[in-house]
Amino acid sequence: AKRKYPSKGNIYELEAKLATLIEDNERVTSALEKSLSENNRDPYTATRLAATYRNRGKIDKAIEIVRSALERRSNDFRLNFQLAELIRGSNQGSPEELIYYYRRAFTPGDKNYQAQFWFARYSYVLNDPESIKTAKEMFEILRSARLDYESKIAIQDYWMDGGQKASFLGSLSGRQAAYGFITQDGRAENIFCPSNSVSDNLWECLSEKDRLRFNIGFTFKGPVCCDVEPI
């Protein structure tokens, strides 16, 4: 086919699929590059080529490919999501940049739940009332997402600071038998706190207004307090 139709870009796409099956990574990359050069408006080829470079540890090259593809198809959901994921994985981007690309990876009400989650997660950490409000609204939408319960309550990420979980202070409020809320210092945000997040089974010993140190994790339902310690 390559000899008969040397100028057909889809032939390189087929070659890439063949190379993937026989685990010839160099051939995969070469074929996809040729395919993309023949049809540089094809987001599918761009995403595959970027994924190939990512898997080989060349994240900067993968980011370059997706950025270039977005110059031609700026509204493509898949490309925006892949670029956001690559930037997040490289630890190079700011929350503002990640918010921008994740927001362009979904429309309200669609099933791109991962894009919506990460958009809400990074919006929440900005010290801006409007961004926090937007994050809360998105988490409220995700509460109704068609996901199983365990997936919804699983912690997807933590609020980080310098490569470590950020530590916060606050006061216990609204205590119930199995959960409560902690009012975060400095932001006056009431964050959900499951009773099993408190160390050494001290939940029953706590009273409202007790001072606590904690980390913040993010689930599809929103932020939650983790690793809670009385102080």
Side-chain angles (χ1 to χ4, degrees):
K2 287 175 66 178
R3 286 194 296 270
K4 191 171 183 178
Y5 306 107
S7 64
K8 296 292 186 179
N10 63 314
I11 298 300
Y12 295 115
E13 184 67 32
L14 292 172
E15 183 182 8
K17 292 179 180 180
L18 171 61
T20 299
L21 289 173
I22 62 176
E23 299 183 353
D24 186 343
N25 292 328
E26 291 294 335
R27 188 175 177 184
V28 170
T29 303
S30 175
L32 288 173
E33 285 177 338
K34 291 175 182 177
S35 178
L36 190 61
S37 68
E38 293 287 339
N39 182 10
N40 62 16
R41 296 186 63 83
D42 180 12
Y44 176 72
T45 302
T47 56
R48 284 197 63 199
L49 179 57
T52 300
Y53 275 113
R54 180 203 62 207
N55 294 338
R56 294 171 61 187
K58 298 182 178 181
I59 293 183
D60 288 345
K61 181 63 175 178
I63 290 174
E64 177 188 331
I65 290 166
V66 180
R67 286 193 189 278
S68 178
L70 274 172
E71 290 177 1
R72 295 178 289 275
R73 302 193 61 149
S74 61
N75 294 323
D76 187 275
F77 288 170
R78 183 191 302 171
L79 289 172
N80 278 285
F81 181 73
Q82 187 179 34
L83 181 56
E85 291 284 272
L86 288 168
I87 293 172
R88 180 168 65 86
S90 70
N91 296 316
Q92 296 177 8
S94 65
E96 291 83 358
E97 185 178 24
L98 290 166
I99 288 167
Y100 175 81
Y101 288 113
Y102 279 123
R103 180 62 189 88
R104 295 175 66 85
F106 69 90
T107 55
D110 69 17
K111 294 182 180 180
N112 294 323
Y113 299 138
Q114 285 291 332
Q116 294 171 46
F117 166 79
W118 289 108
F119 169 72
R121 177 255 185 267
Y122 283 106
S123 294
Y124 188 85
V125 303
L126 295 183
N127 193 24
D128 170 59
E130 278 302 312
S131 295
I132 296 170
K133 178 183 176 184
T134 298
K136 289 180 176 180
E137 291 171 350
M138 183 56 65
F139 280 128
E140 191 62 33
I141 292 172
L142 288 171
R143 281 175 168 269
S144 302
R146 300 188 67 177
L147 297 168
D148 63 88
Y149 179 74
E150 292 301 321
S151 296
K152 283 186 179 181
I153 65 172
I155 294 176
Q156 307 292 319
D157 195 32
Y158 291 92
W159 191 326
M160 306 296 288
D161 181 19
Q164 298 182 334
K165 295 178 185 178
S167 181
F168 301 94
L169 299 176
S171 301
L172 183 65
S173 61
R175 183 183 180 280
Q176 301 294 326
Y179 67 92
F181 293 89
I182 297 177
T183 303
Q184 181 185 352
D185 289 358
R187 284 170 51 123
E189 288 293 318
N190 292 322
I191 304 173
F192 181 73
C193 177
S195 60
N196 59 10
S197 292
V198 181
S199 62
D200 300 322
N201 298 315
L202 293 175
W203 179 255
E204 296 299 328
C205 303
L206 296 178
S207 302
E208 290 189 21
K209 298 185 179 179
D210 280 354
R211 298 287 293 163
L212 303 164
R213 178 181 288 107
F214 57 96
N215 305 129
I216 295 178
F218 294 93
T219 72
F220 278 91
K221 289 189 170 187
V224 296
C225 296
C226 308
D227 304 316
V228 182
E229 298 178 349
I231 57 175

